[in-house]
Amino acid sequence: MNIKYRKLELDKIIEMLCNEGWSDIAKERLAKTEPSFDIETVRRELKKTDDAFVLSSKYGTPRFYNIKDVTFSARRASQGASLSLRELLDIGLVLREADGLAAWYEQGGGSENSLHEYFALITPNKTLENTIANSIISENELSDGASAELARIRKAIVRQGMKIKEQLDSIIRSKTMQKYLQDAIVTQRDGRYVVPVKTEHKSQVSGLVHDTSATGSTLFIEPMSVVEANNEIRILKSEEFAETERIIKDMSEQVGMFAESLIQNIECITKLEAYFARSNLGAKMKAVTPNITEQPVLKLNKARHPLIDKNTVVPTTIVLGETYTSLIITGPNTGGKTVSLKTAGLLTLMTMCGMMIPAADDSVVGIFSKILVDIGDEQSIEQSLSTFSSHMTNIVRIIKAANERSLVLLDELGSGTDPIEGAALAVSILDHLRKKNSRVMATTHYQEVKLYAVEQDGVENASCEFDVNTLQPTYRLITGVPGKSNAFAIAKKLGLTDDIIDEARLLVTDENKRFETVIENLEKTQFELDKLRAQAEQDARDARLITEELDKEKAELEDRKETEMQKARDRAASIIEQTRFGAEKLMNELDELKKAKDKKDFSEMVKSSKSKVNNTLDDLYDKANPVTQKKKTKYVLPRELRVGDTVRFMDVGTQGTVVSLPDAAGNCTVQMGMIKTKTKLDNLELILDEPVSKKKKSGGVKKSLQSNMNRKSSMELDIRGMMTDEGILEVDRFIDSCLLSGIETITIIHGKGTGALRAAVHEFLRKHKNVKSYRLGEYGEGESGVTVAVLK
């Protein structure tokens, strides 16, 4: 791996990635992971990692085994070679994994994604898989189930062996033979059953000598009585070997015919394993897939260095290349400056390796053409180079290679030499890279570099947050504010005496003191801005939630509205049909009546038809009026109605003006706004109140005591046209009167208008100790023109 990538610790991330692999071949592939500088390749690889992450989230990570690369074995089998049992077992494991992956993907619905091509190319072979699993016990032995012939031969060998042992057992149990034997046991030599005979009694036992003990005191003799039986076993063993070879040859031929698919399976499985390893590492890091852009920019939201304990590191946001091309990071030693550089560089490299990064959503990573790094102590004794010389050697190389699509990371720029000259060099180098339009992140302690970042367009200061109390960095980057060295505070915390620190303070120039004061004020301002920004973001999130809830409620209301409208349409259609039917019936009767005009009883027929017509029209009116009437009360009109009287419909509660007196059927015509309607006389209630007369401009509104009493008795107060103060006074009096009368619910008519009078009434009711609750009127009550209140 490139040395500059090691400086950014990419090798450690790759090692973590390899640990997420299951098989040696996948780990070997993952270990060779390198960043790609082609944007389409990066997007493609990230998409595959992201799809693996999504699949794992939905269905769990598929089962992978430590399979071996059987490509060579498959090719040998395709050329006619017989494979070893070990090779066949390895092939069987590959087939098992191929079948498992295909089944796992099928259970997930086999949805189209960027990994579909690999799953689609996997070809299971259940027959060969089962043949290998059922035929091979270990890399040294076939099972009896490999073939019927093998099972038969092995049973014959067992039977023959038992027969020989029985014969030999009878020999060693013989009292005559026991005195010749070293031990009364049956053993084997060269695959033949023998008995141990003392050397001095060799001539007493007839048979073939197969072996002798190390001391020479024992001879292993095969008695002549079992020679033929042992020969039979030797023949069976030869048959067993031949059958074993045949079985292995047959399985090898099956592998050979499936070789190309097997090799393809290996390739697809290994690639899938690598992508799922990346997704698993991303899940452990709580990582996200960043957005990729062609522009050389970085926007890492709440990023974390993956090698630092996530419980101690504070997520930081790093932005570079949008409004500024250079970021100068300052702060105390061990304050996290180098970590900020490494975080930016490492997360960029991880993205270019097709890996997810530990950051928040909406992070953006541009694909740079070069990543140039100078980090760490480069002192080389062998090359006689000091730290400064080594840094300068690297920087010379970086300046030559840098362009507008380069990401340049410089640690402690200008250090290791005279501070004045080092600061001047640092400013000059940064300015040269700025003119090349390179994206630069650099750390420094020099005040001159901080001032350069303040004064120069396209260059921004940043500082690393440092907890002076614990002497520990939080690794949080604060952009827009140069960092303080905190040298005095750190020294004091570490035990340096106050007199030494005070004397050191006196040596600091006034200019530096003022600069440190400015930095301190900037830090405070930045802290306040961060708090305000966080609060604004929270408010925006809350507003979005409220908006979403309102939109949801609005959608539900629209759905209900449409449902009710559809019901009304259906009801209207039904009424129209009924009305049309009645009208047609009337027309038919009129036609019949016209035909009968010459008959003697014509006048009686006309009278009867006229009555029917009136009754039918009344029925049609009732059918065409869909309003359901309320339950009739025993109300009696105080006098006969007159044209122009104000009346209230008892069934719906709305008011209107009488425009025609009751006809013979008892129906009146009442006008409500622009609408005229007919209704029964007993559905009308006469309103006796006189309308409120407006005062003159200097006065207000006068009302008679009788008017107020009538309103109180009817639980309504009309304050339309009044000034706000006068209206509130009337409401207060009205409430007191209703409380004395035991009235619990009142209606205040304030009209719609500009809404000022309504708002004043609501504010008064909200604070009134005797008001339990209040609301605007509903449909039929006056809606927003009235307020209904419930008294305690």
Side-chain angles (χ1 to χ4, degrees):
M1 180 177 290
N2 194 310
I3 185 65
K4 63 186 176 185
Y5 300 156
R6 292 184 182 276
K7 288 176 181 291
L8 294 173
E9 301 177 292
L10 179 63
D11 57 316
K12 295 179 181 178
I13 300 299
I14 298 301
E15 184 178 347
M16 293 171 63
L17 178 60
C18 291
N19 291 335
E20 295 299 321
W22 291 266
S23 67
D24 294 336
I25 54 174
K27 290 180 179 180
E28 184 179 349
R29 183 187 291 259
L30 290 170
K32 296 177 181 178
T33 301
E34 289 282 344
S36 172
F37 292 87
D38 178 67
I39 187 169
E40 292 305 321
T41 300
V42 173
R43 282 177 173 160
R44 187 165 56 250
E45 291 299 297
L46 271 176
K47 174 63 176 170
K48 291 175 181 178
T49 301
D50 188 63
D51 283 344
F53 182 83
V54 172
L55 287 172
S56 292
S57 300
K58 286 183 178 180
Y59 312 113
T61 303
R63 175 71 181 272
F64 290 96
Y65 300 94
N66 185 13
I67 60 173
K68 300 292 187 287
D69 187 355
V70 297
T71 301
F72 180 69
S73 299
R75 295 202 185 284
R76 285 181 53 237
S78 67
Q79 295 169 2
S82 288
L83 304 180
S84 67
L85 293 182
R86 178 70 268 165
E87 288 176 304
L88 289 170
L89 285 172
D90 290 341
I91 289 170
L93 188 60
V94 172
L95 293 171
R96 179 182 177 186
E97 182 159 321
D99 183 64
L101 285 175
W104 178 88
Y105 192 59
E106 190 67 28
Q107 287 177 356
S111 57
E112 289 286 342
N113 54 60
S114 60
L115 299 179
H116 179 76
E117 60 176 306
Y118 301 122
F119 283 106
L121 289 174
I122 291 177
T123 308
N125 189 332
K126 200 67 178 176
T127 302
L128 180 56
E129 177 191 347
N130 290 337
T131 298
I132 293 174
N134 295 331
S135 300
I136 304 176
I137 296 176
S138 69
E139 58 183 276
N140 297 314
E141 183 180 3
L142 285 177
S143 71
D144 292 348
S147 74
E149 179 64 14
L150 183 62
R152 183 195 66 76
I153 293 171
R154 286 181 173 176
K155 287 179 182 178
I157 291 172
V158 170
R159 285 196 300 270
Q160 194 69 13
M162 292 177 63
K163 180 179 178 182
I164 294 173
K165 289 186 69 175
E166 288 175 359
Q167 292 179 357
L168 293 178
D169 284 342
S170 65
I171 291 174
I172 62 178
R173 286 197 299 270
S174 169
K175 291 183 180 181
T176 304
M177 288 293 295
Q178 284 181 357
K179 59 184 178 181
Y180 303 139
L181 302 176
Q182 192 74 34
D183 295 296
I185 60 172
V186 177
T187 185
Q188 282 189 328
R189 287 295 184 274
D190 297 329
R192 301 178 76 87
Y193 288 96
V194 296
V195 293
V197 179
K198 296 176 182 178
T199 303
E200 60 270 24
H201 298 299
K202 172 186 175 183
S203 59
Q204 304 300 320
V205 179
S206 174
L208 303 175
V209 178
H210 285 280
D211 198 5
T212 183
S213 65
T215 60
S217 61
T218 304
L219 298 175
F220 295 95
I221 298 176
E222 177 186 4
M224 293 303 297
S225 59
V226 297
V227 170
E228 285 300 321
N230 270 327
N231 289 339
E232 183 65 26
I233 288 180
R234 180 63 62 88
I235 294 171
L236 289 172
K237 287 284 186 182
S238 298
E239 293 177 358
E240 179 188 21
F241 178 79
E243 180 63 13
T244 299
E245 290 295 304
R246 186 195 66 77
I247 293 170
I248 293 174
K249 180 68 175 176
D250 182 61
M251 285 191 289
S252 299
E253 287 177 354
Q254 293 182 54
V255 171
M257 290 186 290
F258 193 67
E260 292 304 319
S261 296
L262 190 62
I263 294 170
Q264 183 174 270
N265 283 352
I266 284 286
E267 183 65 17
C268 292
I269 290 171
T270 306
K271 286 182 177 180
L272 286 171
E273 185 178 338
Y275 291 122
F276 279 100
R278 291 180 189 173
S279 73
N280 283 356
L281 179 62
K284 289 183 178 180
M285 290 182 177
K286 294 185 177 179
V288 300
T289 301
N291 298 319
I292 305 301
T293 177
E294 293 181 358
Q295 301 302 317
V297 298
L298 278 181
K299 185 180 178 183
L300 303 174
N301 293 327
K302 298 181 180 179
R304 307 178 308 276
H305 194 289
L307 298 177
I308 300 177
D309 185 359
K310 60 185 177 183
N311 296 320
T312 61
V313 63
V314 176
T316 186
T317 296
I318 301 174
V319 180
L320 181 66
E322 292 184 340
T323 57
Y324 49 86
T325 59
S326 298
L327 188 64
I328 309 303
I329 306 172
T330 51
N333 286 326
T334 70
K337 300 189 301 298
T338 304
V339 170
S340 296
L341 286 187
K342 288 185 174 183
T343 301
L346 180 56
L347 267 56
T348 301
L349 288 174
M350 288 174 65
T351 301
M352 295 165 71
C353 288
M355 300 168 64
M356 302 166 73
I357 60 173
D361 291 332
D362 298 325
S363 293
V364 179
V365 177
I367 304 303
F368 297 90
S369 62
K370 296 176 182 178
I371 297 179
L372 306 171
V373 179
D374 180 53
I375 295 177
D377 187 357
E378 296 294 333
Q379 187 174 24
S380 173
I381 297 175
E382 293 180 359
Q383 298 179 20
S384 301
L385 292 175
S386 66
T387 299
F388 176 75
S389 299
S390 184
H391 276 298
M392 281 301 107
T393 301
N394 276 341
I395 289 171
V396 168
R397 174 183 54 80
I398 288 171
I399 289 174
K400 289 179 179 178
N403 57 34
E404 69 279 359
R405 296 192 61 83
S406 298
L407 175 62
V408 181
L409 305 174
L410 304 174
D411 191 28
E412 298 295 348
L413 182 60
S415 63
T417 188
D418 177 75
I420 296 176
E421 293 181 353
L425 271 174
V427 170
S428 180
I429 291 167
L430 288 171
D431 198 57
H432 184 81
L433 291 171
R434 181 187 63 82
K435 290 175 181 177
K436 281 194 166 189
N437 204 28
S438 299
R439 274 44 177 175
V440 180
M441 287 182 67
T443 67
T444 185
H445 286 287
Y446 294 134
Q447 303 282 36
E448 292 83 354
V449 179
K450 299 177 187 179
L451 286 171
Y452 168 75
V454 171
E455 296 170 350
Q456 185 61 58
D457 291 338
V459 184
E460 186 63 84
N461 269 309
S463 58
C464 285
E465 191 175 62
F466 186 81
D467 190 339
V468 179
N469 295 321
T470 62
L471 298 183
Q472 294 293 326
T474 65
Y475 304 106
R476 176 171 172 260
L477 191 67
I478 305 173
T479 304
V481 179
K484 295 171 61 180
S485 65
N486 290 315
F488 294 152
I490 294 172
K492 184 175 181 179
K493 195 74 177 178
L494 292 174
L496 196 64
T497 58
D498 290 341
D499 56 334
I500 296 176
I501 294 173
D502 292 340
E503 185 176 347
R505 292 185 191 276
L506 295 175
L507 297 176
V508 178
T509 64
D510 292 339
E511 183 180 348
N512 284 336
K513 288 179 181 177
R514 285 195 299 272
F515 190 78
E516 290 291 321
T517 302
V518 170
I519 291 176
E520 187 173 352
N521 292 334
L522 282 172
E523 286 181 345
K524 291 179 180 178
T525 302
Q526 184 69 35
F527 180 74
E528 293 298 326
L529 286 173
D530 287 345
K531 284 179 62 178
L532 291 173
R533 185 185 297 110
Q535 185 60 46
E537 290 175 352
Q538 183 60 46
D539 291 343
R541 285 193 293 270
D542 293 343
R544 280 197 299 271
L545 289 175
I546 293 172
T547 302
E548 290 173 0
E549 290 177 1
L550 289 175
D551 289 343
K552 184 178 178 181
E553 291 180 6
K554 181 180 178 182
E556 291 175 354
L557 287 173
E558 288 292 336
D559 291 342
R560 289 213 303 267
K561 173 185 174 184
E562 184 58 33
T563 302
E564 294 301 323
M565 288 292 289
Q566 188 58 45
K567 288 181 180 178
R569 292 188 194 101
D570 294 341
R571 176 62 178 156
S574 176
I575 291 171
I576 289 170
E577 288 301 321
Q578 293 178 14
T579 305
R580 181 182 291 113
F581 175 78
E584 289 177 353
K585 186 176 179 182
L586 282 176
M587 293 299 295
N588 292 334
E589 290 183 1
L590 288 173
D591 289 340
E592 292 295 327
L593 188 62
K594 187 184 291 186
K595 294 175 182 178
K597 66 179 180 178
D598 296 330
K599 294 183 178 180
K600 294 180 180 180
D601 55 350
F602 177 71
S603 58
E604 292 297 326
M605 293 174 64
V606 168
K607 199 177 289 185
S608 175
S609 296
K610 189 174 182 180
S611 176
K612 286 183 179 180
V613 167
N614 287 333
N615 291 334
T616 302
L617 288 173
D618 289 342
D619 290 340
L620 290 177
Y621 169 76
D622 291 339
K623 290 178 181 179
N625 182 10
V627 179
T628 302
Q629 293 186 345
K630 292 183 179 178
K631 186 176 181 180
K632 297 292 179 66
T633 62
K634 294 182 179 180
Y635 174 77
V636 179
L637 287 169
R639 60 172 173 78
E640 290 186 357
L641 290 181
R642 295 192 289 265
V643 174
D645 281 345
T646 301
V647 292
R648 178 185 294 109
F649 287 81
M650 297 174 66
D651 54 357
V652 295
T654 56
Q655 294 183 8
T657 304
V658 177
V659 295
S660 70
L661 297 178
D663 56 17
N667 291 324
C668 294
T669 303
V670 181
Q671 183 159 3
M672 296 181 294
M674 298 178 65
I675 300 173
K676 290 182 181 180
T677 184
K678 276 190 174 185
T679 186
K680 295 290 185 181
L681 182 62
D682 58 3
N683 187 38
L684 298 177
E685 177 186 357
L686 180 62
I687 304 298
L688 295 175
D689 291 345
E690 297 296 328
V692 178
S693 59
K694 293 187 179 180
K695 283 188 177 181
K696 294 181 181 179
K697 291 185 179 179
S698 60
V701 181
K702 292 183 178 180
K703 295 165 293 298
S704 66
L705 179 61
Q706 182 62 40
S707 176
N708 279 334
M709 291 304 295
N710 286 337
R711 292 192 193 99
K712 291 169 185 173
S713 63
S714 63
M715 298 177 289
E716 287 185 359
L717 174 64
D718 191 344
I719 58 173
R720 287 177 292 183
M722 296 185 185
M723 301 296 289
T724 301
D725 293 339
E726 186 181 7
I728 295 302
L729 182 61
E730 284 297 317
V731 172
D732 192 22
R733 291 175 182 171
F734 182 58
I735 291 175
D736 291 339
S737 176
C738 290
L739 288 171
L740 291 173
S741 302
I743 297 172
E744 294 182 355
T745 304
I746 62 173
T747 301
I748 301 168
I749 305 171
H750 42 65
K752 297 181 180 178
T754 62
L757 186 56
R758 178 177 68 243
V761 169
H762 286 188
E763 181 65 18
F764 176 78
L765 294 176
R766 185 177 66 82
K767 296 180 179 179
H768 201 291
K769 63 180 180 180
N770 291 318
V771 175
K772 184 177 181 181
S773 64
Y774 61 92
R775 62 175 175 80
L776 287 174
E778 297 178 348
Y779 180 78
E781 294 180 332
E783 301 180 9
S784 61
V786 303
T787 294
V788 179
V790 179
L791 304 182
K792 295 181 180 178

